[in-house]
Amino acid sequence: MPDRRVVGPAPADRLVDEFALVDELVDGSAEAWDLAGEIPVDVLRTAGRRGLLSAQVARELGGLGLSSRENGELTAYTGSMCSSLRSVMTSQGMAAWTIQRLANPDQSAALLPELVSGRLAAVGFSETGAGSDVTAMTTKIEVSGDSVVVSGHKVWVTGAHYADLLVVFGQCEGGAAVVVVPASAPGVHVERVPDPLGCRAAGHANVRLDSVRLPLSSLLGSPGMPLPLLVTTALAYGRISVAWGCVGILRACRSASAHHAASRVQFGKPLHEHQLVAAHLAELYVSEQVAAQACAHASECWDAGSPDLVVATVLAKHVSAGHAARGAAAAVQVLASAGARDGHVVARAYRDAKLMEIIEGSNEICQLILAQHAVAAAP
């Protein structure tokens, strides 16, 4: 089992019950979930009812009221156990954060308690022709009297297979809007993504919306808002959550590699005493520490309301995802055939971490944003 060591001040000390809940829910099932491509929905609903899936929702609304730093450590611990469960946490957390930022008080009072009472949610951004380029989004949200009509096709919606509610972004009145769509509404069609590379049990699905008519109260905020602003609202949460999840991947890989290298004997001495293997272990440790520090900084910016938040979250996501992908590859190398079995913790990490370099802003998109910041910040 991965350890729980953290970098810097240890908010994990205040999360004993939440860590215990993750242990209880996963209970050694991550490999089986990965191979089956499914997390039992009762596990997810229990996680939702216990606040795990939207941990930053305020206590007065039924949530845990965690800070970003506390939620980050909880996310990292969950990610060290099961990246698919962590992905569902990220998706539901993004939905809750979007509602918190955009909904009016009546909508927040109605929707947020649902997300901490066992109902499940997912967020729809990407489309076939609009991945990183959100301005190419073609989903339409049209206001019609006291109704809204939603038409479009979203792809790779994490958690949509399990979701009761879909938070959908689309074009509206010369700008953009966000609408909360019940997955059971007429005209909503959810189809699993077959055989995803990573986070196989996270419920990735494509969602088709065929003239879905909903009450006007389903619209969050106002129609016609700037699309990049709306997407950035949700992506900031998603990026920092994915980044902390990558810290968890690195912790799991370091732990598995260190245990294997300490117990495996080759050429008359423990594997970790061979210099080339020791180099892998050292770099795994460095990657974990660097990623954790970048995430801690981003969470501190979040909790302080710092204007540096956007850049800090992009930096944390870019650094953590890159280190997780390289670290997972190193872990597979250290364990060799022992870790090359489908479903094994480092084999899962190898696949899951690669996906982290793509979602919530690919490595290349992160580099473009960081480059723009570097130029803007130049003296």
Side-chain angles (χ1 to χ4, degrees):
M1 179 181 295
D3 66 30
R4 299 177 178 176
R5 285 184 291 166
V6 296
V7 175
D13 292 345
R14 300 191 293 275
L15 298 172
V16 173
D17 290 343
E18 287 76 16
F19 279 2
L21 173 59
V22 175
D23 291 339
E24 174 189 331
L25 291 173
V26 178
D27 192 27
S29 297
E31 178 176 343
W33 295 345
D34 181 69
L35 293 174
E38 189 95 14
I39 299 173
V41 73
D42 63 306
V43 170
L44 296 176
R45 294 200 186 282
T46 298
R49 284 193 300 271
R50 300 280 292 276
L52 184 68
L53 301 185
S54 348
Q56 286 182 240
V57 171
R59 288 186 178 275
E60 54 266 30
L61 292 171
L64 296 179
L66 298 188
S67 67
S68 176
R69 179 66 191 275
E70 290 167 334
N71 191 34
E73 289 294 348
L74 178 59
T75 301
Y77 185 65
T78 306
S80 74
M81 304 285 278
C82 177
S83 282
S84 287
L85 178 57
R86 194 279 310 153
S87 291
V88 176
M89 284 177 65
T90 296
S91 183
Q92 181 122 343
M94 289 171 69
W97 178 245
T98 301
I99 291 166
Q100 285 178 270
R101 289 296 304 271
L102 300 179
N104 63 42
D106 288 340
Q107 289 172 320
S108 291
L111 291 169
L112 291 175
E114 291 192 47
L115 299 188
V116 292
S117 64
R119 297 199 81 193
L120 303 173
V123 180
F125 293 119
S126 295
E127 301 178 7
T128 300
S132 297
D133 182 6
V134 296
T135 61
M137 200 177 283
T138 60
T139 293
K140 299 295 184 186
I141 300 172
E142 299 176 325
V143 177
S144 176
D146 59 356
S147 301
V148 297
V149 180
V150 189
S151 299
H153 189 194
K154 297 295 183 181
V155 298
W156 278 90
V157 182
T158 298
H161 172 64
Y162 307 113
D164 302 297
L165 299 172
L166 302 166
V167 178
V168 176
F169 288 68
Q171 302 284 354
C172 181
E173 295 189 2
V178 184
V179 65
V180 178
V181 181
S184 60
V188 178
H189 308 277
V190 178
E191 181 181 355
R192 289 290 298 267
V193 172
D195 302 319
L197 171 68
C199 300
R200 290 174 173 171
H204 307 297
N206 301 325
V207 179
R208 193 174 77 250
L209 304 148
D210 293 335
S211 299
V212 180
R213 184 173 291 272
L214 302 165
L216 187 58
S217 60
S218 303
L219 190 70
L220 299 180
S222 304
M225 292 186 283
L227 181 57
L229 174 63
L230 294 184
V231 172
T232 300
T233 294
L235 277 185
Y237 185 99
R239 284 170 175 159
I240 197 168
S241 182
V242 167
W244 276 110
C246 288
V247 173
I249 288 173
L250 284 162
R251 287 176 179 166
C253 287
R254 175 191 41 83
S255 179
S257 298
H259 281 103
H260 180 78
S263 60
R264 173 78 165 170
V265 174
Q266 288 283 277
F267 301 103
K269 60 183 178 180
L271 199 58
H272 71 88
E273 293 184 10
H274 294 272
Q275 288 185 343
L276 293 177
V277 175
H280 286 309
L281 298 176
E283 289 306 312
L284 265 168
Y285 178 74
V286 169
S287 292
E288 177 196 341
Q289 298 296 305
V290 170
Q293 292 286 7
C295 288
H297 172 66
S299 281
E300 288 162 6
C301 288
W302 184 291
D303 291 332
S306 169
D308 295 329
L309 172 63
V310 172
V311 171
T313 56
V314 173
L315 177 65
K317 196 272 176 182
H318 180 59
V319 166
S320 299
H323 276 295
R326 293 187 295 274
V332 173
Q333 196 72 20
V334 171
L335 271 77
S337 60
R341 173 177 51 79
D342 199 16
H344 187 281
V345 60
V346 299
R348 294 200 317 270
Y350 185 75
R351 291 185 284 97
D352 295 343
K354 185 59 198 175
L355 200 60
M356 298 307 104
E357 292 193 303
I358 299 170
I359 64 172
E360 315 304 356
S362 67
N363 282 9
E364 292 77 11
I365 290 295
C366 290
Q367 286 175 314
L368 287 173
I369 294 170
L370 295 172
Q372 291 166 359
H373 175 71
V375 170

